[in-house]
mmCIF file with all atom_site columns, all heavy atoms in Angstrom:
data_model
loop_
_atom_site.group_PDB
_atom_site.id
_atom_site.type_symbol
_atom_site.label_atom_id
_atom_site.label_alt_id
_atom_site.label_comp_id
_atom_site.label_asym_id
_atom_site.label_entity_id
_atom_site.label_seq_id
_atom_site.pdbx_PDB_ins_code
_atom_site.Cartn_x
_atom_site.Cartn_y
_atom_site.Cartn_z
_atom_site.occupancy
_atom_site.B_iso_or_equiv
_atom_site.pdbx_formal_charge
_atom_site.auth_seq_id
_atom_site.auth_comp_id
_atom_site.auth_asym_id
_atom_site.auth_atom_id
_atom_site.pdbx_PDB_model_num
ATOM 1   N N   . SER A 1 293 ? 213.516 118.235 92.278  1.00 91.00 ? 293 SER A N   1
ATOM 2   C CA  . SER A 1 293 ? 214.834 118.406 92.880  1.00 91.00 ? 293 SER A CA  1
ATOM 3   C C   . SER A 1 293 ? 214.676 118.954 94.297  1.00 91.00 ? 293 SER A C   1
ATOM 4   O O   . SER A 1 293 ? 213.840 119.828 94.553  1.00 91.00 ? 293 SER A O   1
ATOM 5   C CB  . SER A 1 293 ? 215.667 119.395 92.051  1.00 91.00 ? 293 SER A CB  1
ATOM 6   O OG  . SER A 1 293 ? 216.824 119.791 92.773  1.00 91.00 ? 293 SER A OG  1
ATOM 7   N N   . LEU A 1 294 ? 215.466 118.424 95.206  1.00 91.00 ? 294 LEU A N   1
ATOM 8   C CA  . LEU A 1 294 ? 215.449 118.904 96.596  1.00 91.00 ? 294 LEU A CA  1
ATOM 9   C C   . LEU A 1 294 ? 216.720 119.666 96.924  1.00 91.00 ? 294 LEU A C   1
ATOM 10  O O   . LEU A 1 294 ? 217.123 119.788 98.084  1.00 91.00 ? 294 LEU A O   1
ATOM 11  C CB  . LEU A 1 294 ? 215.269 117.717 97.546  1.00 91.00 ? 294 LEU A CB  1
ATOM 12  C CG  . LEU A 1 294 ? 213.963 116.931 97.392  1.00 91.00 ? 294 LEU A CG  1
ATOM 13  C CD1 . LEU A 1 294 ? 213.891 115.812 98.416  1.00 91.00 ? 294 LEU A CD1 1
ATOM 14  C CD2 . LEU A 1 294 ? 212.757 117.844 97.496  1.00 91.00 ? 294 LEU A CD2 1
ATOM 15  N N   . GLU A 1 295 ? 217.354 120.213 95.869  1.00 93.00 ? 295 GLU A N   1
ATOM 16  C CA  . GLU A 1 295 ? 218.590 120.961 96.056  1.00 93.00 ? 295 GLU A CA  1
ATOM 17  C C   . GLU A 1 295 ? 218.357 122.474 96.121  1.00 93.00 ? 295 GLU A C   1
ATOM 18  O O   . GLU A 1 295 ? 219.297 123.238 96.350  1.00 93.00 ? 295 GLU A O   1
ATOM 19  C CB  . GLU A 1 295 ? 219.564 120.647 94.911  1.00 93.00 ? 295 GLU A CB  1
ATOM 20  C CG  . GLU A 1 295 ? 219.997 119.198 94.851  1.00 93.00 ? 295 GLU A CG  1
ATOM 21  C CD  . GLU A 1 295 ? 220.955 118.950 93.709  1.00 93.00 ? 295 GLU A CD  1
ATOM 22  O OE1 . GLU A 1 295 ? 221.730 119.879 93.381  1.00 93.00 ? 295 GLU A OE1 1
ATOM 23  O OE2 . GLU A 1 295 ? 220.921 117.844 93.131  1.00 93.00 ? 295 GLU A OE2 1
ATOM 24  N N   . GLY A 1 296 ? 217.122 122.898 95.903  1.00 93.00 ? 296 GLY A N   1
ATOM 25  C CA  . GLY A 1 296 ? 216.816 124.321 95.915  1.00 93.00 ? 296 GLY A CA  1
ATOM 26  C C   . GLY A 1 296 ? 216.774 124.889 97.325  1.00 93.00 ? 296 GLY A C   1
ATOM 27  O O   . GLY A 1 296 ? 216.808 124.160 98.320  1.00 93.00 ? 296 GLY A O   1
ATOM 28  N N   . PRO A 1 297 ? 216.672 126.213 97.436  1.00 95.00 ? 297 PRO A N   1
ATOM 29  C CA  . PRO A 1 297 ? 216.622 126.854 98.758  1.00 95.00 ? 297 PRO A CA  1
ATOM 30  C C   . PRO A 1 297 ? 215.355 126.468 99.518  1.00 95.00 ? 297 PRO A C   1
ATOM 31  O O   . PRO A 1 297 ? 214.298 126.247 98.922  1.00 95.00 ? 297 PRO A O   1
ATOM 32  C CB  . PRO A 1 297 ? 216.631 128.357 98.427  1.00 95.00 ? 297 PRO A CB  1
ATOM 33  C CG  . PRO A 1 297 ? 216.161 128.439 97.013  1.00 95.00 ? 297 PRO A CG  1
ATOM 34  C CD  . PRO A 1 297 ? 216.605 127.194 96.334  1.00 95.00 ? 297 PRO A CD  1
ATOM 35  N N   . ALA A 1 298 ? 215.478 126.380 100.822 1.00 96.00 ? 298 ALA A N   1
ATOM 36  C CA  . ALA A 1 298 ? 214.330 126.090 101.691 1.00 96.00 ? 298 ALA A CA  1
ATOM 37  C C   . ALA A 1 298 ? 213.827 127.404 102.284 1.00 96.00 ? 298 ALA A C   1
ATOM 38  O O   . ALA A 1 298 ? 214.582 128.125 102.939 1.00 96.00 ? 298 ALA A O   1
ATOM 39  C CB  . ALA A 1 298 ? 214.741 125.126 102.794 1.00 96.00 ? 298 ALA A CB  1
ATOM 40  N N   . LEU A 1 299 ? 212.555 127.712 102.051 1.00 96.00 ? 299 LEU A N   1
ATOM 41  C CA  . LEU A 1 299 ? 211.955 128.955 102.545 1.00 96.00 ? 299 LEU A CA  1
ATOM 42  C C   . LEU A 1 299 ? 210.687 128.640 103.326 1.00 96.00 ? 299 LEU A C   1
ATOM 43  O O   . LEU A 1 299 ? 209.997 127.655 103.055 1.00 96.00 ? 299 LEU A O   1
ATOM 44  C CB  . LEU A 1 299 ? 211.634 129.902 101.377 1.00 96.00 ? 299 LEU A CB  1
ATOM 45  C CG  . LEU A 1 299 ? 212.826 130.353 100.521 1.00 96.00 ? 299 LEU A CG  1
ATOM 46  C CD1 . LEU A 1 299 ? 212.348 131.230 99.368  1.00 96.00 ? 299 LEU A CD1 1
ATOM 47  C CD2 . LEU A 1 299 ? 213.859 131.089 101.356 1.00 96.00 ? 299 LEU A CD2 1
ATOM 48  N N   . ALA A 1 300 ? 210.367 129.510 104.279 1.00 96.00 ? 300 ALA A N   1
ATOM 49  C CA  . ALA A 1 300 ? 209.196 129.305 105.140 1.00 96.00 ? 300 ALA A CA  1
ATOM 50  C C   . ALA A 1 300 ? 207.905 129.515 104.370 1.00 96.00 ? 300 ALA A C   1
ATOM 51  O O   . ALA A 1 300 ? 207.819 130.371 103.481 1.00 96.00 ? 300 ALA A O   1
ATOM 52  C CB  . ALA A 1 300 ? 209.253 130.254 106.328 1.00 96.00 ? 300 ALA A CB  1
ATOM 53  N N   . ALA A 1 301 ? 206.878 128.758 104.728 1.00 95.00 ? 301 ALA A N   1
ATOM 54  C CA  . ALA A 1 301 ? 205.590 128.839 104.039 1.00 95.00 ? 301 ALA A CA  1
ATOM 55  C C   . ALA A 1 301 ? 204.944 130.207 104.186 1.00 95.00 ? 301 ALA A C   1
ATOM 56  O O   . ALA A 1 301 ? 204.162 130.627 103.325 1.00 95.00 ? 301 ALA A O   1
ATOM 57  C CB  . ALA A 1 301 ? 204.650 127.757 104.573 1.00 95.00 ? 301 ALA A CB  1
ATOM 58  N N   . ASP A 1 302 ? 205.257 130.922 105.278 1.00 94.00 ? 302 ASP A N   1
ATOM 59  C CA  . ASP A 1 302 ? 204.626 132.220 105.503 1.00 94.00 ? 302 ASP A CA  1
ATOM 60  C C   . ASP A 1 302 ? 205.458 133.389 104.973 1.00 94.00 ? 302 ASP A C   1
ATOM 61  O O   . ASP A 1 302 ? 205.157 134.551 105.255 1.00 94.00 ? 302 ASP A O   1
ATOM 62  C CB  . ASP A 1 302 ? 204.313 132.432 106.982 1.00 94.00 ? 302 ASP A CB  1
ATOM 63  C CG  . ASP A 1 302 ? 205.551 132.393 107.875 1.00 94.00 ? 302 ASP A CG  1
ATOM 64  O OD1 . ASP A 1 302 ? 206.657 132.150 107.352 1.00 94.00 ? 302 ASP A OD1 1
ATOM 65  O OD2 . ASP A 1 302 ? 205.409 132.601 109.097 1.00 94.00 ? 302 ASP A OD2 1
ATOM 66  N N   . LEU A 1 303 ? 206.484 133.099 104.177 1.00 95.00 ? 303 LEU A N   1
ATOM 67  C CA  . LEU A 1 303 ? 207.275 134.165 103.573 1.00 95.00 ? 303 LEU A CA  1
ATOM 68  C C   . LEU A 1 303 ? 206.500 134.776 102.406 1.00 95.00 ? 303 LEU A C   1
ATOM 69  O O   . LEU A 1 303 ? 205.926 134.069 101.573 1.00 95.00 ? 303 LEU A O   1
ATOM 70  C CB  . LEU A 1 303 ? 208.615 133.614 103.074 1.00 95.00 ? 303 LEU A CB  1
ATOM 71  C CG  . LEU A 1 303 ? 209.614 134.645 102.530 1.00 95.00 ? 303 LEU A CG  1
ATOM 72  C CD1 . LEU A 1 303 ? 210.089 135.568 103.643 1.00 95.00 ? 303 LEU A CD1 1
ATOM 73  C CD2 . LEU A 1 303 ? 210.796 133.951 101.860 1.00 95.00 ? 303 LEU A CD2 1
ATOM 74  N N   . VAL A 1 304 ? 206.490 136.109 102.338 1.00 94.00 ? 304 VAL A N   1
ATOM 75  C CA  . VAL A 1 304 ? 205.755 136.807 101.281 1.00 94.00 ? 304 VAL A CA  1
ATOM 76  C C   . VAL A 1 304 ? 206.458 136.597 99.938  1.00 94.00 ? 304 VAL A C   1
ATOM 77  O O   . VAL A 1 304 ? 207.688 136.576 99.856  1.00 94.00 ? 304 VAL A O   1
ATOM 78  C CB  . VAL A 1 304 ? 205.651 138.312 101.629 1.00 94.00 ? 304 VAL A CB  1
ATOM 79  C CG1 . VAL A 1 304 ? 205.024 139.099 100.489 1.00 94.00 ? 304 VAL A CG1 1
ATOM 80  C CG2 . VAL A 1 304 ? 204.838 138.498 102.906 1.00 94.00 ? 304 VAL A CG2 1
ATOM 81  N N   . VAL A 1 305 ? 205.657 136.443 98.871  1.00 94.00 ? 305 VAL A N   1
ATOM 82  C CA  . VAL A 1 305 ? 206.191 136.145 97.542  1.00 94.00 ? 305 VAL A CA  1
ATOM 83  C C   . VAL A 1 305 ? 207.235 137.176 97.112  1.00 94.00 ? 305 VAL A C   1
ATOM 84  O O   . VAL A 1 305 ? 208.291 136.822 96.566  1.00 94.00 ? 305 VAL A O   1
ATOM 85  C CB  . VAL A 1 305 ? 205.044 136.069 96.513  1.00 94.00 ? 305 VAL A CB  1
ATOM 86  C CG1 . VAL A 1 305 ? 205.594 136.033 95.079  1.00 94.00 ? 305 VAL A CG1 1
ATOM 87  C CG2 . VAL A 1 305 ? 204.172 134.844 96.771  1.00 94.00 ? 305 VAL A CG2 1
ATOM 88  N N   . ARG A 1 306 ? 206.960 138.444 97.343  1.00 92.00 ? 306 ARG A N   1
ATOM 89  C CA  . ARG A 1 306 ? 207.896 139.494 96.929  1.00 92.00 ? 306 ARG A CA  1
ATOM 90  C C   . ARG A 1 306 ? 209.269 139.296 97.572  1.00 92.00 ? 306 ARG A C   1
ATOM 91  O O   . ARG A 1 306 ? 210.304 139.518 96.944  1.00 92.00 ? 306 ARG A O   1
ATOM 92  C CB  . ARG A 1 306 ? 207.334 140.869 97.310  1.00 92.00 ? 306 ARG A CB  1
ATOM 93  C CG  . ARG A 1 306 ? 208.250 142.044 97.020  1.00 92.00 ? 306 ARG A CG  1
ATOM 94  C CD  . ARG A 1 306 ? 207.535 143.361 97.287  1.00 92.00 ? 306 ARG A CD  1
ATOM 95  N NE  . ARG A 1 306 ? 207.070 143.450 98.649  1.00 92.00 ? 306 ARG A NE  1
ATOM 96  C CZ  . ARG A 1 306 ? 207.754 143.979 99.663  1.00 92.00 ? 306 ARG A CZ  1
ATOM 97  N NH1 . ARG A 1 306 ? 208.968 144.441 99.447  1.00 92.00 ? 306 ARG A NH1 1
ATOM 98  N NH2 . ARG A 1 306 ? 207.237 144.042 100.868 1.00 92.00 ? 306 ARG A NH2 1
ATOM 99  N N   . GLN A 1 307 ? 209.280 138.871 98.838  1.00 92.00 ? 307 GLN A N   1
ATOM 100 C CA  . GLN A 1 307 ? 210.544 138.654 99.536  1.00 92.00 ? 307 GLN A CA  1
ATOM 101 C C   . GLN A 1 307 ? 211.249 137.389 99.052  1.00 92.00 ? 307 GLN A C   1
ATOM 102 O O   . GLN A 1 307 ? 212.473 137.284 99.118  1.00 92.00 ? 307 GLN A O   1
ATOM 103 C CB  . GLN A 1 307 ? 210.285 138.570 101.045 1.00 92.00 ? 307 GLN A CB  1
ATOM 104 C CG  . GLN A 1 307 ? 209.707 139.864 101.628 1.00 92.00 ? 307 GLN A CG  1
ATOM 105 C CD  . GLN A 1 307 ? 209.260 139.699 103.069 1.00 92.00 ? 307 GLN A CD  1
ATOM 106 O OE1 . GLN A 1 307 ? 208.861 138.621 103.483 1.00 92.00 ? 307 GLN A OE1 1
ATOM 107 N NE2 . GLN A 1 307 ? 209.336 140.783 103.827 1.00 92.00 ? 307 GLN A NE2 1
ATOM 108 N N   . ALA A 1 308 ? 210.470 136.443 98.559  1.00 93.00 ? 308 ALA A N   1
ATOM 109 C CA  . ALA A 1 308 ? 211.047 135.178 98.102  1.00 93.00 ? 308 ALA A CA  1
ATOM 110 C C   . ALA A 1 308 ? 211.475 135.223 96.644  1.00 93.00 ? 308 ALA A C   1
ATOM 111 O O   . ALA A 1 308 ? 212.269 134.376 96.212  1.00 93.00 ? 308 ALA A O   1
ATOM 112 C CB  . ALA A 1 308 ? 210.033 134.054 98.292  1.00 93.00 ? 308 ALA A CB  1
ATOM 113 N N   . ALA A 1 309 ? 210.969 136.196 95.877  1.00 92.00 ? 309 ALA A N   1
ATOM 114 C CA  . ALA A 1 309 ? 211.138 136.174 94.425  1.00 92.00 ? 309 ALA A CA  1
ATOM 115 C C   . ALA A 1 309 ? 212.601 136.170 94.004  1.00 92.00 ? 309 ALA A C   1
ATOM 116 O O   . ALA A 1 309 ? 213.006 135.371 93.146  1.00 92.00 ? 309 ALA A O   1
ATOM 117 C CB  . ALA A 1 309 ? 210.407 137.367 93.805  1.00 92.00 ? 309 ALA A CB  1
ATOM 118 N N   . ARG A 1 310 ? 213.413 137.038 94.583  1.00 91.00 ? 310 ARG A N   1
ATOM 119 C CA  . ARG A 1 310 ? 214.813 137.130 94.159  1.00 91.00 ? 310 ARG A CA  1
ATOM 120 C C   . ARG A 1 310 ? 215.548 135.821 94.424  1.00 91.00 ? 310 ARG A C   1
ATOM 121 O O   . ARG A 1 310 ? 216.326 135.345 93.588  1.00 91.00 ? 310 ARG A O   1
ATOM 122 C CB  . ARG A 1 310 ? 215.496 138.293 94.868  1.00 91.00 ? 310 ARG A CB  1
ATOM 123 C CG  . ARG A 1 310 ? 216.955 138.468 94.473  1.00 91.00 ? 310 ARG A CG  1
ATOM 124 C CD  . ARG A 1 310 ? 217.532 139.754 95.039  1.00 91.00 ? 310 ARG A CD  1
ATOM 125 N NE  . ARG A 1 310 ? 216.863 140.926 94.481  1.00 91.00 ? 310 ARG A NE  1
ATOM 126 C CZ  . ARG A 1 310 ? 217.183 142.175 94.803  1.00 91.00 ? 310 ARG A CZ  1
ATOM 127 N NH1 . ARG A 1 310 ? 218.146 142.409 95.681  1.00 91.00 ? 310 ARG A NH1 1
ATOM 128 N NH2 . ARG A 1 310 ? 216.534 143.183 94.257  1.00 91.00 ? 310 ARG A NH2 1
ATOM 129 N N   . ILE A 1 311 ? 215.313 135.219 95.578  1.00 93.00 ? 311 ILE A N   1
ATOM 130 C CA  . ILE A 1 311 ? 215.969 133.952 95.915  1.00 93.00 ? 311 ILE A CA  1
ATOM 131 C C   . ILE A 1 311 ? 215.517 132.852 94.962  1.00 93.00 ? 311 ILE A C   1
ATOM 132 O O   . ILE A 1 311 ? 216.329 132.072 94.446  1.00 93.00 ? 311 ILE A O   1
ATOM 133 C CB  . ILE A 1 311 ? 215.662 133.565 97.370  1.00 93.00 ? 311 ILE A CB  1
ATOM 134 C CG1 . ILE A 1 311 ? 216.194 134.630 98.333  1.00 93.00 ? 311 ILE A CG1 1
ATOM 135 C CG2 . ILE A 1 311 ? 216.242 132.193 97.711  1.00 93.00 ? 311 ILE A CG2 1
ATOM 136 C CD1 . ILE A 1 311 ? 215.754 134.429 99.772  1.00 93.00 ? 311 ILE A CD1 1
ATOM 137 N N   . ALA A 1 312 ? 214.203 132.809 94.726  1.00 91.00 ? 312 ALA A N   1
ATOM 138 C CA  . ALA A 1 312 ? 213.650 131.754 93.866  1.00 91.00 ? 312 ALA A CA  1
ATOM 139 C C   . ALA A 1 312 ? 214.172 131.869 92.438  1.00 91.00 ? 312 ALA A C   1
ATOM 140 O O   . ALA A 1 312 ? 214.576 130.868 91.821  1.00 91.00 ? 312 ALA A O   1
ATOM 141 C CB  . ALA A 1 312 ? 212.131 131.822 93.887  1.00 91.00 ? 312 ALA A CB  1
ATOM 142 N N   . LEU A 1 313 ? 214.164 133.079 91.889  1.00 90.00 ? 313 LEU A N   1
ATOM 143 C CA  . LEU A 1 313 ? 214.548 133.259 90.493  1.00 90.00 ? 313 LEU A CA  1
ATOM 144 C C   . LEU A 1 313 ? 216.055 133.110 90.286  1.00 90.00 ? 313 LEU A C   1
ATOM 145 O O   . LEU A 1 313 ? 216.512 132.827 89.169  1.00 90.00 ? 313 LEU A O   1
ATOM 146 C CB  . LEU A 1 313 ? 214.073 134.624 89.996  1.00 90.00 ? 313 LEU A CB  1
ATOM 147 C CG  . LEU A 1 313 ? 212.546 134.813 89.986  1.00 90.00 ? 313 LEU A CG  1
ATOM 148 C CD1 . LEU A 1 313 ? 212.179 136.241 89.576  1.00 90.00 ? 313 LEU A CD1 1
ATOM 149 C CD2 . LEU A 1 313 ? 211.865 133.804 89.069  1.00 90.00 ? 313 LEU A CD2 1
#
Side-chain angles (χ1 to χ4, degrees):
S293 167
L294 298 182
E295 297 180 32
L299 299 177
D302 60 357
L303 186 66
V304 174
V305 169
R306 176 174 58 92
Q307 297 171 330
R310 181 171 296 180
I311 299 171
L313 297 176

